[in-house]
Amino acid sequence: MRYMTAGESHGKGLSVIIDGVPSGLTIDFEKIQSEMTRRQGGYGRGRRMQIEQDAIDVRGGIRHGYTTGAPISLFIENKDHTHWKQVMQAEPLEEALERPRTLTRPRPGHADLVGGLKYGHRDLRDVLERSSARETAARVAVGAIAKQLLAQLDVDLFSHVRSIGGVDAEAVDPTTRRELIEASPVRCADEAATEQMMRAIDQAKKDGDTLGGEVEVVVTGLVPGIGSFTQNDMKLDSRIAQAVISVNAMKAVGFGDGFDLARRPGSTVQDEIIHSEAGYSRRTNHLGGIEGGMSTGMPIRVQVAMKPIPTLYQPLQSVDIETKEPFTAQIERSDACAVPAAAVVLEAVVAFEVAAAILEMFGSSTMDRLKQTIADYKEEVRLF
């Protein structure tokens, strides 16, 4: 299973093609739309989310409510394109017209300058428009379909925010607080920390600044053995790590107890193996449900650190690429904090990688065959 996205932040919209989804997967369109709405929410979002509706337009691969096995084509319209038609038009401008809203002062922390150097763009908007986090709307749509596939296989996943702007949530078992997480404006399982995080976001917005934070994604219900130790690109943790780091503004990833594992002796971090009538399991889950690049059957725990969004309303110093003179960076519309929304995006990319790895292991062209193959494997593992 694979996918590809196309489109720009202020272009006509975002296109997605997903290939390799088995036939016979029942699609709940309301659930897809719910995922799109979740991405638009979260305390600290900017005005763009008041404009967009992120309605999904299915253009192929789904018929009468189920997948056909053909590539799935989706389109998400950019409502804000109405105000950017000339700026983003595909056709050449009239000779007498200058390019509108040209960007020549790159923003520190963005792709602007390096993208211009790589692709030779003198107008850095040609970089900004594609490198924008608007593209993550397409990835949430992909993840929404992957989630529905996983749900058919009794695999569940969710995210929660562990910190924002230096405010840390209490260490609790998030699986027992799902409703609280979904109700929290910052997707946090700690009510006291939620209030502190919101105050920190308010202050950052007032100061023209931005805040980052840390998100954890948890996957439950996986059978052991998803992934492989035989090649580096087949390891489940390496695939998940690449996927989450590819999301805009993500700068670090950990599994299980994460970076804390490096500070403790081995006797306190390895997960001892036990056996019962149900099969093998672990006493603990310090390693986050993955050993040797493969799922162990324990919950997979992935932590991701997000830097503060680099577009600031009190911009940092930059250089105009035309005059080479020092200037403050150009201001574009931004969020004070997008960590809660990023949590939804991270769920989506993890869901896709897990679903893709399952299909590689149990490859099947129909959902019925896939379910039967996995059921047979579960029994084989139980009796091993």
Side-chain angles (χ1 to χ4, degrees):
M1 189 165 65
R2 56 185 177 166
Y3 73 94
M4 181 173 287
T5 72
E8 285 75 42
S9 179
H10 296 99
K12 293 180 181 179
L14 301 168
S15 300
V16 187
I17 293 180
I18 317 167
D19 190 28
V21 178
S23 69
L25 173 63
T26 301
I27 297 296
D28 185 327
F29 293 95
E30 289 185 2
K31 286 184 178 179
I32 296 178
Q33 200 57 56
S34 174
E35 292 295 316
M36 303 303 293
T37 301
R38 288 174 73 225
R39 174 193 167 276
Q40 290 187 288
Y43 202 75
R45 299 306 302 276
R47 288 173 294 172
R48 177 76 187 267
M49 292 304 100
Q50 299 170 15
I51 299 172
E52 301 300 344
Q53 296 178 359
D54 286 355
I56 296 295
D57 180 4
V58 178
R59 298 188 170 183
I62 300 174
R63 183 169 182 259
H64 298 165
Y66 61 87
T67 58
T68 65
I72 296 172
S73 176
L74 308 174
F75 182 74
I76 305 164
E77 181 185 8
N78 287 334
K79 292 291 185 182
D80 203 19
H81 177 65
T82 301
H83 308 107
W84 293 74
K85 286 184 177 180
Q86 188 184 59
V87 179
M88 298 303 298
Q89 71 181 46
E91 299 78 17
L93 290 170
E94 296 178 21
E95 289 188 14
L97 296 178
E98 294 184 2
R99 296 191 87 183
R101 301 198 67 154
T102 298
L103 176 65
T104 61
R105 300 174 189 175
R107 299 160 299 165
H110 271 286
D112 302 349
L113 178 58
V114 180
L117 295 172
K118 178 177 175 67
Y119 290 99
H121 294 307
R122 303 305 303 182
D123 179 359
L124 301 181
R125 184 161 300 283
D126 289 334
V127 178
L128 174 156
E129 287 291 332
R130 177 58 186 171
S131 66
S132 166
R134 175 67 184 152
E135 186 267 350
T136 62
R139 293 207 245 179
V140 169
V142 173
I145 291 176
K147 278 188 172 184
Q148 294 192 37
L149 188 154
L150 292 174
Q152 291 288 309
L153 306 178
D154 299 320
V155 177
D156 182 40
L157 77 162
F158 68 95
S159 65
H160 67 109
V161 171
R162 292 169 37 131
S163 72
I164 287 178
V167 177
D168 297 325
E170 177 189 1
V172 296
D173 179 3
T175 59
T176 65
R177 302 193 179 189
R178 294 284 294 275
E179 290 186 8
L180 181 60
I181 292 168
E182 291 300 328
S184 167
V186 290
R187 295 195 57 76
C188 180
D190 180 347
E191 291 180 285
T194 289
E195 295 299 323
Q196 295 177 49
M197 290 173 183
M198 291 169 66
R199 287 197 294 270
I201 293 169
D202 288 340
Q203 187 61 49
K205 187 174 183 179
K206 182 179 178 181
D207 296 341
D209 215 333
T210 58
L211 297 178
E214 184 181 345
V215 171
E216 181 173 63
V217 180
V218 181
V219 185
T220 61
L222 268 187
V223 297
I226 303 299
S228 179
F229 61 89
T230 60
Q231 296 292 342
N232 61 356
D233 60 347
M234 295 175 67
K235 294 185 176 185
L236 185 59
D237 45 0
S238 70
R239 293 176 59 159
I240 290 174
Q242 189 279 331
V244 298
I245 287 296
S246 75
V247 176
N248 304 57
M250 304 305 148
K251 300 304 285 186
V253 59
F255 291 86
D257 292 349
F259 283 82
D260 189 50
L261 295 172
R263 301 181 179 92
R264 294 168 15 208
S267 58
T268 68
V269 303
Q270 313 307 333
D271 300 313
E272 292 183 313
I273 301 170
I274 57 177
H275 187 269
S276 67
E277 186 177 342
Y280 298 94
S281 61
R282 304 295 192 279
R283 289 190 189 278
T284 55
N285 193 26
H286 298 304
L287 301 182
I290 298 177
E291 292 178 350
M294 299 168 290
S295 59
T296 65
M298 299 292 284
I300 291 177
R301 294 171 47 223
V302 189
Q303 298 91 39
V304 192
M306 178 182 185
K307 71 177 181 180
I309 292 175
T311 297
L312 305 176
Y313 285 106
Q314 290 191 4
L316 302 174
Q317 181 179 314
S318 183
V319 174
D320 191 302
I321 65 170
E322 293 300 333
T323 66
K324 307 302 186 289
E325 293 294 321
F327 281 98
T328 54
Q330 202 149 321
I331 296 176
E332 297 285 329
R333 187 165 44 198
S334 181
D335 303 328
C337 179
V339 175
V344 177
V345 179
L346 292 169
E347 277 183 33
V349 298
V350 171
F352 179 84
E353 293 302 327
V354 170
I358 289 173
L359 289 172
E360 287 177 16
M361 181 168 177
F362 301 107
S364 180
S365 55
T366 73
M367 286 301 297
D368 287 342
R369 292 188 200 126
L370 178 61
K371 291 178 184 178
Q372 185 59 56
T373 303
I374 292 177
D376 294 342
Y377 177 76
K378 285 182 177 178
E379 183 64 10
E380 178 185 336
V381 166
R382 187 183 73 84
L383 297 175
F384 183 81

